[in-house]
Amino acid sequence: MSLDVKKIRSQFPCLDQKINGKDLIYLDNAASTLKPLKVINALNQHYSKETSNIHRGVHTLSEQGTVKYEESRRTIQKFIGAEFDHEVIFTKGTTDALNLLANSFGDAFLEPGDEILLSTMEHHSNIVPWQLIAEKKGAIIKEVPINKKGEIILDEYKKLLNKRTKMVSIVYISNSLGTINPIKEMIQMAHEVGAYFCVDAAQAVAHKKIDVQELDCDFLAFSGHKIYGPTGIGVLYGKQDLLNQMPPYQGGGDMIDAVSFEKTTYNTLPFKFEAGTPHIAGAICLKDAIDYVTELGLEEIEKYENELLDYATKKIKEIEGITLIGEADQKCSVLAFCLENSHPHDVGTLLDKQGIAVRTGHHCTQPLMKFFNIVASIRASFSIYNTKEEVDTFIEAIKKTKEFL
Ligand code: C6P
């Protein structure tokens, strides 16, 4: 069954407004998706009637909160196909998850001379945490190159893999290009040399069915706000055996077993990695977001968004002076481009004047911008509530902008 886009749109109140006097066309979904009523209402319900701390109180609200928080963890476990619910660790988002991983994994596993492979198209949050820990541990970062279409060059990746490779951390879907990387094959190749593999699924999670056991990734990170959920909540998935070998990332409440000045012992998974009061509302309502996506069906979502992307790509190519940034064979949801003789920020500002929200800039991927010899691009990113009519308006708006500039 295909998506009922009219019905979907009615579930997103943010769409029902004018920006600069025009109906909002929201094409900045790779930055953050809008929220459906199911999530907004759940947040409202939580803060109106269910506020409490969790894992601490014996009173009813605290116990109910704890049950819902753990229910959400199990929903996520099922959604990503993890073997155990305690392999799902709540974090603030992808960035927080990758910092946790780099620090804790780095402490447990990295030795001087070990190599960490990252690709040219990584987001800064999948580069900088690794650089910081590599510097501390004497490990070496190696760059996996890409081609002009914006695809990882697998032969070069293969050449870089060796027995010193300790970690490969790669984005599943690039936020700046839309490239879908052949992650399963890359994981297999990494495992053949004994390296661990982390998937940055920040973009993939809302567009592709993920099964961590089928992929056989060791770690995976994503953010709630890119899958119709709240901001400030995300997930680090890790294989139980590895997480058990890793030390806590932060100290505080909930992550301990017993504290004394002589010796402190730590809680079991997942609590060992969840110090302090977490984003309870965010974690609970992430379940509502995931239920929403599951009800629609990720296969249907992917199919619909691909139709939109193909349509938009075909139309934008007809405009003279447009250069697409990222033309991988396997792409999803992102259309990034530059317009001849104009700065992306000017294009973004003029599109905004026409009610159209796109992102402009380096998209936190400066090494990638350098590779394409640009400082910035204009990025339209599509979601379940966007329509072909919106794409038509967007294309007309680019033509107008081009004339204006
Ligand atoms: N990309 C974008 O507009 P956080 O900020 O922690 O939720 O996610 C970080 C992150 C990590 N990896 C990838 C592939 C991402 O796309 C992002 C966030 C946003 O493209 C904000 S820069």
Side-chain angles (χ1 to χ4, degrees), residues 38-48 230 279 281-282 285 288:
K38 191 177 172 76
V39 172
I40 297 167
N41 292 342
L43 276 167
N44 191 2
Q45 168 72 8
H46 176 81
Y47 283 121
S48 310
H279 184 3
C285 299
D288 296 280

Side-chain angles (χ1 to χ4, degrees), residues 9 15 24-27 356 385-395:
R9 287 179 68 84
L15 286 172
L24 167 65
I25 297 182
Y26 189 78
L27 300 179
I356 300 169
Y385 33 71
N386 294 125
T387 62
K388 283 193 178 161
E389 291 72 37
E390 286 184 328
V391 171
D392 289 338
T393 310
F394 166 61
I395 296 292

